Every structure is written in structure tokens, then in C-alpha cells.
Amino acid sequence: MSRFLFVWFIFSLCQMTYGQVVTEREIHRKISSQGVPVQGIEVVNLMSEKSTISNANGQFSIMAKVADVVVFTSLKYEY
């Protein structure tokens, strides 16, 4: 019985640990306003403090995990 409980405990621990793994992924998106690409927008991941800037086609890529907060800023545009 104690061997069964030990094996069950180890199995449960592995399941909980595996479920906690959060992977970071590269996000690719395009920024546009009324269908026109917007260049020079700073994209910041507040959780990892990584940032990037959108290119001439409005495209950017940034590393992020689920539940990270990503903000878009620019001195040229108002919202």
C-alpha cells in the first residue's frame, strides 16, 4: 500500500510540475491604422522588459508568454 501511495505521489507531482511549464513564444503581428501600415511603434513586453519597433510594413515580432502584458507606444501618434 505504501509503495502504491509513493508511486501515486510521484506521478501527481510530475503532472503538477509539467502543467506549470510556461513557454515563451515569438509573436509576429502587423500594426495598421485604417488599413495603412504604421512604422516606428515601440512594442514593449512589460513582464520581460523586452522591446522592439515596428518596421516600414508595420510588422514586428517579440517574445512573450501567456498572460504577459504588451504595450504599444509612440511619440508621433495620439490615441
Side-chain angles (χ1 to χ4, degrees):
M1 181 67 173
S2 64
R3 182 180 171 109
F4 171 76
L5 289 176
F6 177 75
V7 170
W8 179 81
F9 174 75
I10 296 298
F11 177 76
S12 297
L13 184 63
C14 291
Q15 289 294 330
M16 288 186 296
T17 304
Y18 181 74
Q20 297 295 323
V21 174
V22 178
T23 57
E24 194 173 44
R25 302 176 79 183
E26 189 170 18
I27 308 299
H28 302 275
R29 295 290 184 262
K30 182 176 181 177
I31 302 170
S32 64
S33 175
Q34 299 176 349
V36 178
V38 181
Q39 177 182 8
I41 303 296
E42 184 178 20
V43 182
V44 181
N45 181 335
L46 295 179
M47 309 309 274
S48 67
E49 299 181 353
K50 295 178 183 176
S51 66
T52 188
I53 297 177
S54 62
N55 65 16
N57 297 322
Q59 299 170 333
F60 72 92
S61 61
I62 192 166
M63 298 298 288
K65 295 182 281 194
V66 172
D68 277 1
V69 176
V70 178
V71 295
F72 301 83
T73 62
S74 176
L75 297 175
K76 298 190 285 186
Y77 300 97
E78 291 184 25
Y79 59 91

